[in-house]
Amino acid sequence: MALAEGRTTTRIRKHGSIAEALGGFRLWWLVLPAFLFFLVFFIAPVMSLFALAFDKPVAGVVSFAGNLTLDNFARIFTRPLYYLAIVRSVGIAAVVAVIALAIGYPLAYVIAKTEHPGRNTLLMILVLSSMQLDTVIRMYGLMVLMGDQGLINGALMSIGLIEKPLPLMYNTFGVVVGLVQIALPFMILSLIGIIKAIHPSLEEAARSLGATRAEAFWRVTLPLSMPGILAGSLLVFALSVSSYVVPALMGGWKVMVLPIHIYQQIAETGRWQFGSAVAVVLFATSLMAVFIYHKAAVRSAGGRT
């Protein structure tokens, strides 16, 4: 009797493990559409750009000829026009990330700490409403506001504070303002969930040990919200360093960043090989940002433990 029961239990366990394995195998089919989409519309174009970047530059030729060379990359890193564009792109993206964090963190903190459903919903609508308009439309709105004859300069000149328009556009300042306007909601959304996950009892425990409200924030809340800060900063950096529309409209083609060079080389001069090399450099810059984010996240996690 005991032997029969043991065999039955073994058979049930065996069938159960087979069913679990088959169930896990079926779950992989759910990933297949996303994998195919990622393969066709991301991996294939990126690999094509990588192949063209190492091909001999020939104007107007898009196909890969197989004439491998590093001339395209040598041109990028030996001409000031291009390697200064790399520095300019990274610098602008870093400044935008810092400004977006400085502006977005207080608002994200208020939204996360607001318990009233109506007020919380209203604040979220205000954040999300700016994302409902197309980037081009939002930039034209800024141009109306910041142009030489725009609302800001017009108001300042009408009250006699300035005699000539302030240079608010077609420079680095205008590009930074435009990028912050675009990227700010992404920073706020990255922070809200992390700040909400911080249990209020942690701040209360710090206060009970004699810490002021400010000390509890700097020593408890801010370190615990570091994952959101890093994720939001990475997202804002990636959006800013790869933006083309904002530098083109708010910079007036005077702020030469990498996306502008990519457009000029491919769309205007037909130099697909060199434009692909610039795109590869831009992609490598974004990967370096991801690497730095990973290192900072590991260090932050180690510091908390």
Side-chain angles (χ1 to χ4, degrees):
M1 184 68 179
L3 181 60
E5 290 179 354
R7 291 177 179 176
T8 303
T9 303
T10 303
R11 192 179 298 110
I12 292 173
R13 291 177 178 175
K14 182 178 180 180
H15 286 296
S17 61
I18 294 175
E20 291 176 359
L22 291 176
F25 179 74
R26 293 192 190 98
L27 289 177
W28 282 104
W29 286 100
L30 301 177
V31 186
L32 185 61
F35 173 76
L36 292 176
F37 184 89
F38 186 78
L39 180 65
V40 173
F41 294 105
F42 179 76
I43 297 297
V46 169
M47 295 306 296
S48 299
L49 283 179
F50 267 83
L52 283 175
F54 291 93
D55 202 9
K56 184 178 180 180
V58 180
V61 177
V62 182
S63 60
F64 179 67
N67 300 320
L68 299 181
T69 180
L70 294 176
D71 292 345
N72 297 316
F73 294 97
R75 182 182 176 189
I76 294 174
F77 292 104
T78 55
R79 297 194 179 184
L81 176 66
Y82 300 113
Y83 66 71
L84 288 180
I86 300 173
V87 177
R88 188 178 300 112
S89 300
V90 173
I92 290 177
V95 170
V96 170
V98 172
I99 296 176
L101 176 62
I103 299 175
Y105 194 99
L107 181 56
Y109 185 85
V110 170
I111 295 175
K113 297 299 182 180
T114 300
E115 298 180 357
H116 192 278
R119 296 174 185 172
N120 190 281
T121 302
L122 177 61
L123 292 173
M124 287 298 299
I125 290 175
L126 292 176
V127 173
L128 296 175
S129 60
S130 63
M131 304 175 65
Q132 304 307 309
L133 293 176
D134 182 71
T135 302
V136 176
I137 298 176
R138 293 158 69 179
M139 290 304 102
Y140 279 133
L142 282 181
M143 293 171 72
V144 172
L145 182 67
M146 301 172 59
D148 290 344
Q149 305 299 324
L151 298 178
I152 294 178
N153 281 315
L156 292 177
M157 287 190 294
S158 65
I159 61 178
L161 289 180
I162 58 175
E163 296 181 357
K164 60 180 181 179
L166 296 174
L168 302 179
M169 281 181 49
Y170 306 132
N171 50 30
T172 303
F173 176 79
V175 173
V176 170
V177 172
L179 289 173
V180 170
Q181 202 263 6
I182 295 295
L184 184 58
F186 296 94
M187 175 66 77
I188 295 173
L189 294 176
S190 300
L191 290 168
I192 289 176
I194 296 296
I195 297 176
K196 276 187 176 181
I198 301 174
H199 202 278
S201 61
L202 297 175
E203 293 185 9
E204 295 173 0
R207 295 289 301 277
S208 66
L209 293 174
T212 63
R213 186 179 296 274
E215 289 175 338
F217 171 79
W218 287 107
R219 297 186 179 184
V220 177
T221 305
L222 187 63
L224 291 177
S225 60
M226 192 58 65
I229 293 174
L230 294 175
S233 300
L234 176 64
L235 183 58
V236 170
F237 181 90
L239 290 172
S240 301
V241 79
S242 60
S243 176
Y244 163 76
V245 173
V246 177
L249 294 179
M250 299 299 294
W253 297 89
K254 296 179 181 179
V255 182
M256 299 303 293
V257 291
L258 289 179
I260 297 292
H261 283 296
I262 295 172
Y263 174 82
Q264 288 182 337
Q265 294 299 323
I266 293 179
E268 294 183 357
T269 64
R271 298 176 179 175
W272 282 82
Q273 294 79 12
F274 184 69
S276 299
V278 179
V280 169
V281 172
L282 178 60
F283 184 73
T285 303
S286 299
L287 286 183
M288 288 178 61
V290 173
F291 177 77
I292 294 173
Y293 162 77
H294 174 70
K295 289 294 185 181
V298 171
R299 185 176 302 176
S300 175
R304 291 197 302 272
T305 56

